[in-house]
Amino acid sequence: MNWNPDHYHLYTDHRLRPALDLLGQVALASPMVIYDLGCGTGHVTSLLSKRWNTAIVTGIDTSEEMLDRARQDHPSIEWKNEDIRDFNPASKANLIFSNAALHWLDDHEELFPRLISQLRPGGVFAVQMPNNFTAPSHSLLFDLAGTDRWFDKLGHLVRPAPVHNINWYYDLLSAYEGNLNIWETTYFQVLKGKNAVLEWTRSTALRPFLAALEGEDIKAFEQEYAERLLEAYPLKRDGSTIYPFSRLFIVLELAEE
Ligand SMILES: C[S@@+](CC[C@H](N)C(=O)[O-])C[C@H]1O[C@@H](n2cnc3c(N)ncnc32)[C@H](O)[C@@H]1O
């Protein structure tokens, strides 16, 4: 799936805030080896590198478009085109950080323990994932893709919500010796512009659906989705749109041996 760095940066402030909230809960003093999984354009990776400026920081992603931007903007950081599913670094990590990426992967029951196994004793696994899959922005998209008109072309893209509830992650991760900090926040995002929620999802959830369509279908699907969104997220009198967005956070700090 192609990513568009420019479009992803359209709502930078809203997308950055949860990353900073996550970062604020990582108490490591001087980690030596840091990986940012699903680093995208590397903006958040560069903040990790600034905060821990003696650490070796590596950003990992599978999108060449996003990595190109990362390389261009932050040449001193190491960037690697690698699938998170194959993450098996030569040097174990003091910090594995992942902001808004692991929800693109399924099977967290197998994935999370495997990622955590790449930490050194005392290491930290810090993750933020959107947990908005039952919100109208997503349910309307999946409902529309499941209609007779679109099912043949888009039905295969409707997948079960990849993110589990907070209790599920607690049960999975509380087995580790150390300290588990886990929470969920709904950001009451005030977005500017026409069809703001459509513009938001265009660079994330909607991308695979548009990528599977061609020609006139793209416009037609987008228009139907936009109409449904406008009903669910009506414009406020001042022209803004309120888009509540839930996110789940995990900071697991492993015990020192
Ligand atoms: C929403 S962006 C988040 C980027 C960045 N972490 C940030 O906070 O700005 C999600 C990123 O995850 C990457 N991604 C998705 N699945 C991946 C996978 N299996 N392996 C590596 N990267 C992946 C995408 O290419 C994309 O750049």
Side-chain angles (χ1 to χ4, degrees), residues 3 8 38-40 44 61-63 66 82-84 99-101 105:
W3 285 76
Y8 185 70
C39 61
V44 175
D61 207 286
T62 39
S63 162
M66 297 297 242
E82 184 183 278
D83 197 304
I84 294 167
N99 183 61
L105 286 87

Side-chain angles (χ1 to χ4, degrees), residues 10-238:
L10 199 59
Y11 295 109
T12 288
D13 291 352
H14 291 292
R15 295 198 196 278
L16 187 59
R17 186 171 161 190
L20 297 178
D21 290 348
L22 178 64
L23 193 52
Q25 294 298 314
V26 179
L28 287 169
S30 50
M32 292 175 298
V33 180
I34 299 176
Y35 298 96
D36 184 8
L37 304 184
C39 61
T41 57
H43 183 50
V44 175
T45 327
S46 74
L47 300 181
L48 302 178
S49 171
K50 273 191 196 120
R51 174 163 165 194
W52 293 291
N53 58 15
T54 55
I56 299 167
V57 180
T58 308
I60 288 174
D61 207 286
T62 39
S63 162
E64 263 311 304
E65 292 88 348
M66 297 297 242
L67 286 171
D68 271 352
R69 176 65 63 88
R71 288 186 195 105
Q72 193 182 310
D73 290 353
H74 311 286
S76 63
I77 295 175
E78 194 175 321
W79 306 104
K80 227 174 147 185
N81 188 332
E82 184 183 278
D83 197 304
I84 294 167
R85 281 171 287 225
D86 303 327
F87 181 64
N88 184 18
S91 213
K92 294 238 186 231
N94 302 103
L95 171 62
I96 296 175
F97 191 91
S98 183
N99 183 61
L102 296 187
H103 61 296
W104 290 104
L105 286 87
D106 294 317
D107 201 2
H108 289 183
E109 189 162 11
E110 189 271 329
L111 176 71
F112 279 38
R114 199 155 43 74
L115 296 178
I116 292 164
S117 74
Q118 302 301 334
L119 284 171
R120 297 173 192 217
V124 171
F125 181 61
V127 173
Q128 182 278 119
M129 297 177 291
N131 195 11
N132 223 32
F133 300 93
T134 55
S137 52
H138 291 62
S139 63
L140 291 175
L141 178 62
F142 302 152
D143 289 351
L144 185 58
T147 57
D148 288 349
R149 162 120 201 241
W150 297 108
F151 185 78
D152 283 353
K153 287 173 182 156
L154 302 177
H156 66 287
L157 293 171
V158 178
R159 61 195 262 257
V163 176
H164 301 272
N165 67 41
I166 203 158
N167 274 294
W168 188 93
Y169 289 101
Y170 184 85
D171 290 342
L172 181 73
L173 301 174
S174 56
Y176 290 91
E177 289 241 358
N179 189 31
L180 177 60
N181 178 7
I182 181 163
W183 73 103
E184 195 164 356
T185 303
T186 300
Y187 293 89
F188 220 64
Q189 304 181 143
V190 180
L191 305 184
K192 302 284 177 213
K194 213 174 141 219
N195 279 328
V197 180
L198 175 74
E199 293 309 325
W200 178 283
T201 59
R202 200 195 286 284
S203 61
T204 52
L206 180 59
R207 288 195 68 70
F209 292 83
L210 295 186
L213 296 173
E214 286 174 357
E216 289 300 301
D217 276 351
I218 297 177
K219 256 205 144 39
F221 184 77
E222 220 181 76
Q223 194 172 333
E224 266 192 74
Y225 177 49
E227 282 163 13
R228 293 178 183 214
L229 283 178
L230 265 180
E231 266 179 49
Y233 302 100
L235 272 180
K236 295 282 176 196
R237 242 183 313 200
D238 66 355

